Amino acid sequence: MIDHEKIRSALARLSTHASAELLSKDPHWGDAILCDGLTYAARALGSPAPLAAAASWFAARLASGPRLQGWFWFWSAEALAALDLYIAAKDDRYLEYARAVVDGFEKSATRTPAGTISPHPPALETWVDVAYFTAPAAARLARLSGDDAMFEWALAQLLAHQRCLVDESSGLFWHVAYAEPGRHSPCLWARGNSWFAIAATQVLDELDAYADQSGLGSRRVTDQAGAIRAAMVRQLNAVARLQDAVGLWHTVIDRTDSYLEASATAGFALAFGRALRAAPAGLDLAAARHAYERALEAVCAKINASGEFTGVSQQTPPGEFDFYNSVELGTAAFGTGVCLMALSEAPSA
């Protein structure tokens, strides 16, 4: 059973700390995700303070415009944060900022032979994280601006990631796929799987809302969305079976000899909550509900008295099993951002 009072208290504590942290910490690539998470918290709590912190952080970016060169991770997540600030503030500058970032995805980013955006050119690699950094922003912008072609691009990008990265035997996802067919990093990384699950559930939610308002429903879109939905259902059914008894997931998701990790758990909580609302065919609803409730409980337990979301593995490139299991645990902007989203979307948050 979901403890609504505990969730709201944890969200308020986390939001207060995160609002101050975002405006005072050293820059990090996860800051845009933290900024976006504060827009969720503002809606859920009915409080202007998290939104004010998010807008204050974004002000310098609005003044200078998006930086579309340099390390992909630093600029790519800004589109989603800008779109959620636009929804909250109705300031067209946020919409145009997001449009510029998504145009950068579409027109100038390096692509692999499979069509996925490669974050570290000239290497032609498909990273599971990039599914989250690209497709949801394009889908949300498409819905807000009524752009059918952009929606089809978002679906195609997500589906290309799925095809490159899926482990056919389990329905889970590899961290990185390399240009050579069939070659990928050796471990099923939990946070990477959560990035895909968040992206898939968000894109499908955006598609449902967009179809209701525009009638978008070509055979191609229907087929793409069906393939993504089937992949998401298969993945989440597998994820639910791998949850530890304490409610967390192991950082290498199918290896119980790897440590338990909080940010993946927050990401899966966010995805399970969305999937349960949509109730797609094939999803084991009882298992998903059980996993969701335990994940929310575990996430709340990782928020300390100061409002820090702890137990998050730090920046993690691909490697062998021993490497994943050696990454330091602590706090991180991206983890806090996803945790804000998960708790904000919990019932009666």
Side-chain angles (χ1 to χ4, degrees):
M1 180 178 294
I2 296 173
D3 187 332
H4 304 296
E5 184 176 343
K6 179 184 286 187
I7 289 172
R8 189 172 181 85
S9 174
L11 176 60
R13 195 164 67 250
L14 181 66
S15 174
T16 298
H17 183 273
S19 296
E21 180 186 33
L22 181 63
L23 300 177
S24 61
K25 64 188 287 299
D26 291 336
H28 184 273
W29 62 261
D31 291 345
I33 299 172
L34 178 54
C35 175
D36 198 17
L38 287 170
T39 71
Y40 283 62
R43 291 194 301 272
L45 295 170
S47 168
L51 186 62
S56 180
W57 180 83
F58 218 100
R61 286 147 189 83
L62 281 182
S64 63
R67 182 189 66 186
L68 303 181
Q69 282 74 44
W71 209 36
F72 173 86
W73 310 104
F74 265 97
W75 58 268
S76 55
E78 292 179 350
L80 267 176
L83 290 168
D84 287 326
L85 282 163
Y86 167 74
I87 291 169
K90 298 298 186 288
D91 183 334
D92 286 344
R93 293 178 300 165
Y94 292 118
L95 188 65
E96 293 311 309
Y97 192 102
R99 194 186 307 278
V101 175
V102 174
D103 282 350
F105 295 155
E106 289 191 276
K107 297 173 183 175
S108 60
T110 299
R111 304 288 189 89
T112 69
T116 58
I117 290 174
S118 186
H120 302 135
L124 298 179
E125 301 168 340
T126 300
W127 287 56
V128 70
D129 327 41
V130 176
Y132 170 78
F133 280 72
T134 56
R140 180 157 289 183
L141 180 60
R143 176 175 65 80
L144 291 170
S145 44
D147 189 333
D148 289 9
M150 186 177 295
F151 223 117
E152 293 187 11
W153 183 90
L155 290 166
Q157 189 65 205
L158 189 55
L159 194 55
H161 278 83
Q162 186 269 334
R163 289 169 174 159
C164 288
L165 292 160
V166 68
D167 171 36
E168 295 292 354
S169 67
S170 67
L172 298 169
F173 291 87
W174 302 109
H175 190 164
V176 176
Y178 303 105
E180 302 89 341
R183 187 167 166 260
H184 53 72
S185 53
C187 293
L188 296 166
W189 181 42
R191 186 161 66 232
N193 272 271
S194 77
W195 287 129
F196 185 88
I198 298 167
T201 52
Q202 184 161 356
V203 168
L204 291 170
D205 279 356
E206 296 288 348
L207 179 60
D208 288 344
Y210 189 57
D212 287 345
Q213 70 189 35
S214 73
L216 177 66
S218 70
R219 178 62 182 271
R220 180 167 179 265
V221 166
T222 300
D223 289 347
Q224 287 177 314
I228 292 166
R229 188 173 288 106
M232 179 266 293
V233 164
R234 188 180 180 213
Q235 182 203 20
L236 289 181
N237 284 339
V239 167
R241 292 191 292 268
L242 293 168
Q243 188 179 29
D244 188 82
V246 301
L248 299 164
W249 277 267
H250 294 271
T251 195
V252 177
I253 194 169
D254 60 340
R255 292 282 299 264
T256 58
D257 51 342
S258 65
Y259 60 68
L260 296 166
E261 201 275 328
S263 69
T265 302
F268 289 138
L270 180 59
F272 273 119
R274 291 171 173 171
L276 283 162
R277 289 193 294 274
L283 182 66
D284 184 335
L285 294 176
R289 171 64 62 182
H290 187 51
Y292 179 51
E293 292 178 356
R294 290 197 298 161
L296 288 175
E297 183 76 20
V299 163
C300 288
K302 287 293 182 179
I303 300 170
N304 66 22
S306 299
E308 297 172 306
F309 181 49
T310 64
V312 175
S313 62
Q314 302 302 287
Q315 185 169 305
T316 307
E320 299 293 332
F321 172 79
D322 287 346
F323 169 74
Y324 284 98
N325 208 27
S326 71
V327 174
E328 184 180 357
L329 288 170
T331 65
F334 56 81
T336 300
V338 173
C339 188
L340 286 164
M341 296 175 199
L343 296 184
S344 296
E345 289 199 357
S348 301

